[in-house]
Amino acid sequence: MVTGTPRAFVVPLFIPHAGCPHHCIFCNQHAVTGQGNVNAPAMPTFSAMEEEIERWLGWAASRHPVEISFYGGTFLGLPVETLTACLDLAHGYVKAGRVQGIRFSTRPDTVTPETLAILARYPVTTVELGAQSMEDPVLKLSTRGHTAADTEKAMAQLKARGYRTILQMMLGLPGETPVRFRTSLHRILALAPDGIRIYPTAVLAGSGLAALWRRGQYEPLSLDEAVQRSKEAWLEATRRGIAVIRMGLQESEEMRLEGILAGPHHPAFGHLVHSARFRDMAETLARRLFSPGDSPTFRVHPRSVSRLRGDKNSTMESLAARWELAAIQVVPDDTLAETALAAGGWIVDSVRQSFAKQMES
């Protein structure tokens, strides 16, 4: 969510492929949600939606604010009657005081004067746009059916009406190169969304990308490549005050059992990205401060201890081996920022790009 505003409790309603004008090469919402399939979208019934809302509200308890969200399809691409029925359903919960807003994800080219006129009648708070890339050759190879200019136009219209905006970005799409990745990232951040989601491209069963992969015409990013690009995107966004809402696909039982054929998927992908960031900072401190045989102490915010240690303590083990350290102690310190790491009287913070001696008290 936006920095400085309360994070909403989101009630997710999935409408796989509903409203989508065609099938993007990477997409198979059935593999992600377990509902419907690419050829037969499964728009849930309104009674099923109500049951799902009530189920989630039972978990929300005293949380505030609460937003009903429509995911998995192209919300503004729904037939007008279906679109307004969905909005009416959610609006009823807002009027009853049980929910504070409505949000949804949609394609940039569905943001039009006509759809915006419909939205104006409802308490919509947040709109997520599936930009995916700001490089037209990449969008074309991914059969997105829209251009980077469509994303820029949609963002301008949404911002002019005061909606909070989140942009979705995919890494490793067909035709993406390191240069195109950085160009796309900078163009996305230049639009100043309130937040971004970062999704490394996975090869999903039943998608067009799966056919290319089987023919040897598409090679997904390695896990390390995806982590490094996501780390760069996280740092650039955070330095500009843009929240990173999520990194990596939301894992489901269906994905684990049948959905992902190849690609840089990991159930704790975001943790890997943050661990890579802390590993960089630890290496910076070690290079400057440590000698073979030292037993250094790192200080880090309590919420970042696991990020510093890495997956199965891998960062500490590799650091000790590389610099021939006798032992490393990690001490929680809530006076530090969650993005910072300290050792030997020095603090390094990758977000602020700072490396400074602490002031002696």
Side-chain angles (χ1 to χ4, degrees):
M1 305 298 291
V2 181
T3 303
T5 63
R7 182 165 183 166
F9 181 91
V10 175
V11 175
L13 298 177
F14 291 99
I15 54 171
H17 292 294
C20 296
H22 60 275
H23 305 312
C24 301
I25 199 168
F26 52 79
C27 194
N28 181 357
Q29 283 294 326
H30 169 59
V32 177
T33 67
Q35 301 176 28
N37 61 66
V38 72
N39 296 312
M43 182 73 186
T45 65
F46 288 98
S47 61
M49 288 187 191
E50 289 178 342
E51 290 178 8
E52 189 72 356
I53 292 171
E54 292 296 338
R55 185 168 69 90
W56 280 93
L57 289 181
W59 294 339
S62 60
R63 297 198 190 191
H64 190 278
V66 178
E67 295 178 339
I68 291 176
S69 180
F70 296 90
Y71 287 131
T74 300
F75 191 63
L76 293 184
L78 292 171
V80 172
E81 297 79 7
T82 306
L83 174 64
T84 54
C86 288
L87 290 167
D88 285 338
L89 173 66
H91 194 191
Y93 284 89
V94 176
K95 289 188 288 187
R98 303 180 65 192
V99 166
Q100 283 67 54
I102 306 170
R103 61 194 292 166
F104 58 83
S105 60
T106 195
R107 291 166 51 93
D109 53 345
T110 62
V111 178
T112 65
E114 292 75 21
T115 56
L116 288 169
I118 294 172
L119 295 184
R121 307 197 297 266
Y122 297 93
V124 172
T125 55
T126 306
V127 179
E128 295 197 26
L129 291 180
Q132 317 312 4
S133 175
M134 293 296 285
E135 286 284 287
D136 284 342
V138 174
L139 292 171
K140 185 175 181 179
L141 287 171
S142 301
T143 63
R144 278 296 288 174
H146 69 79
T147 65
D150 290 325
T151 299
E152 292 169 340
K153 181 179 178 181
M155 283 290 289
Q157 294 180 90
L158 292 169
K159 281 177 168 290
R161 289 161 176 79
Y163 294 114
R164 297 178 66 253
T165 55
I166 296 172
L167 287 178
Q168 299 168 0
M169 178 182 189
M170 294 187 69
L171 311 180
L173 287 169
E176 184 184 89
T177 63
V179 171
R180 283 177 170 170
F181 154 68
R182 292 186 177 91
T183 300
S184 181
L185 172 62
H186 293 152
R187 290 184 68 182
I188 281 176
L189 298 181
L191 295 174
D194 296 300
I196 62 171
R197 294 184 190 269
I198 302 169
Y199 297 122
T201 302
V203 180
L204 300 179
S207 69
L209 200 57
L212 289 183
W213 172 72
R214 288 193 176 97
R215 294 197 298 266
Q217 296 174 320
Y218 171 73
E219 182 67 28
L221 296 176
S222 68
L223 183 59
D224 183 64
E225 287 172 326
V227 166
Q228 293 304 314
R229 290 190 189 185
S230 298
K231 180 184 68 175
E232 183 176 339
W234 187 93
L235 285 168
E236 289 292 333
T238 305
R239 286 169 184 158
R240 300 187 192 207
I242 297 172
V244 179
I245 309 300
R246 183 175 182 84
M247 293 183 286
L249 288 169
Q250 182 86 38
E251 176 150 305
S252 67
E253 185 70 14
E254 291 76 17
M255 285 175 65
R256 286 197 301 107
L257 294 177
E258 62 178 84
I260 296 181
L261 302 178
H265 176 67
H266 189 281
F269 184 82
H271 178 74
L272 295 183
V273 176
H274 287 300
S275 292
R277 183 169 55 85
F278 272 89
R279 183 169 60 247
D280 290 347
M281 292 190 289
E283 288 284 354
T284 298
L285 287 166
R287 190 178 304 111
R288 179 153 186 159
L289 303 175
F290 304 158
S291 299
D294 284 353
S295 300
T297 296
F298 284 116
R299 291 186 297 108
V300 67
H301 192 280
R303 294 194 188 95
S304 297
V305 168
S306 64
R307 295 171 175 174
L308 171 62
R309 289 192 175 279
D311 189 31
K312 299 179 181 178
N313 209 41
S314 58
T315 296
M316 297 298 95
E317 291 177 0
S318 65
L319 202 68
R322 178 175 180 181
W323 299 96
E324 301 178 23
L325 303 174
I328 300 175
Q329 184 178 4
V330 176
V331 176
D333 183 346
D334 61 10
T335 67
L336 293 171
E338 290 185 37
T339 55
L341 180 64
W346 292 82
I347 295 177
V348 60
D349 190 326
S350 60
V351 173
R352 294 172 179 80
Q353 297 179 302
S354 63
F355 186 94
K357 188 88 167 73
Q358 293 175 247
M359 297 297 292
E360 301 291 342
S361 57

